[in-house]
Amino acid sequence: MTTLYLVRHGETVDNVNQIMQGQTQGQLTAAGQEQARRLCDRMADAVIDAVVASDLKRAVDTAAVIARQRGLPVVTTQLLRERDWGAFTGRYIPSLKGEAWPADIETQEQLRRRAADFLDYIRRHYPGRHVLAVGHGIINKAIQAVYHRLPMSEIGRMDNAEVRVMELAD
């Protein structure tokens, strides 16, 4: 059995400013850095054999706080990247209400396929281990939806630096 601690990155400047980040790098705020430190404290007694993160800066920076404290490297993967919001990327979120979705947005089906690929990646590379993985709000929702075999709409939103635990059969 593989234990997956699925984490959402700490708060970013774009989170605060309600900007659609998508697959941009992002920058943690001071509060986001503090959230990562508190997460590290909360996870102090947890067994963690590996730390995996999206290759986007905001996730790597969050993961690095836990990895550094444990002397572990941060392994990055594009499978954990946030949803590609296409032409909506960089836009003020409230201004998008009512707009037609551009054709270049990653679909839920594509997200779910990537989420399933991520779970397979963890099972394949970390069987029987305890893995902390730092991703993003929407991809983490897709991962949980695949894991629980539920529609994404039935998975609750993750707060910044929140952890959800999943047990994966090897």
Side-chain angles (χ1 to χ4, degrees), residues 91-107:
R91 303 257 321 266
Y92 181 60
I93 294 168
S95 75
L96 301 174
K97 187 174 182 174
E99 278 197 39
W101 281 36
D104 61 351
I105 291 177
E106 186 175 13
T107 67

Side-chain angles (χ1 to χ4, degrees), residues 4-7 144 155-158 162-166:
L4 177 63
Y5 299 105
L6 187 63
V7 175
Q144 293 170 83
I155 304 297
R157 178 185 181 279
M158 287 183 80
E162 182 180 342
V163 180
R164 298 202 181 153
V165 181
M166 291 175 261

Side-chain angles (χ1 to χ4, degrees), residues 17-105:
N17 293 319
Q18 299 183 67
I19 301 298
M20 188 70 79
Q21 291 177 98
Q23 295 189 359
T24 62
Q25 293 298 322
Q27 181 67 41
L28 295 179
T29 62
Q33 293 168 9
E34 180 59 27
Q35 289 168 338
R37 286 189 290 273
R38 285 197 311 264
L39 170 64
C40 185
D41 292 344
R42 287 194 318 270
M43 299 296 294
D45 294 332
V47 173
I48 298 174
D49 301 308
V51 178
V52 177
S54 155
D55 63 341
L56 300 176
K57 183 174 176 14
R58 60 195 188 263
V60 172
D61 289 351
T62 301
V65 173
I66 291 114
R68 190 170 35 251
Q69 188 264 347
R70 294 168 181 269
L72 295 169
V74 176
V75 176
T76 61
T77 176
Q78 291 184 1
L79 293 170
L80 269 176
R81 277 188 172 193
E82 183 55 296
R83 185 179 200 170
D84 184 348
W85 286 104
F88 279 174
T89 302
R91 303 257 321 266
Y92 181 60
I93 294 168
S95 75
L96 301 174
K97 187 174 182 174
E99 278 197 39
W101 281 36
D104 61 351
I105 291 177

Side-chain angles (χ1 to χ4, degrees), residues 8 16 27 109 111 118:
R8 182 177 175 209
V16 171
Q27 181 67 41
E109 180 181 310
L111 269 172
F118 171 74

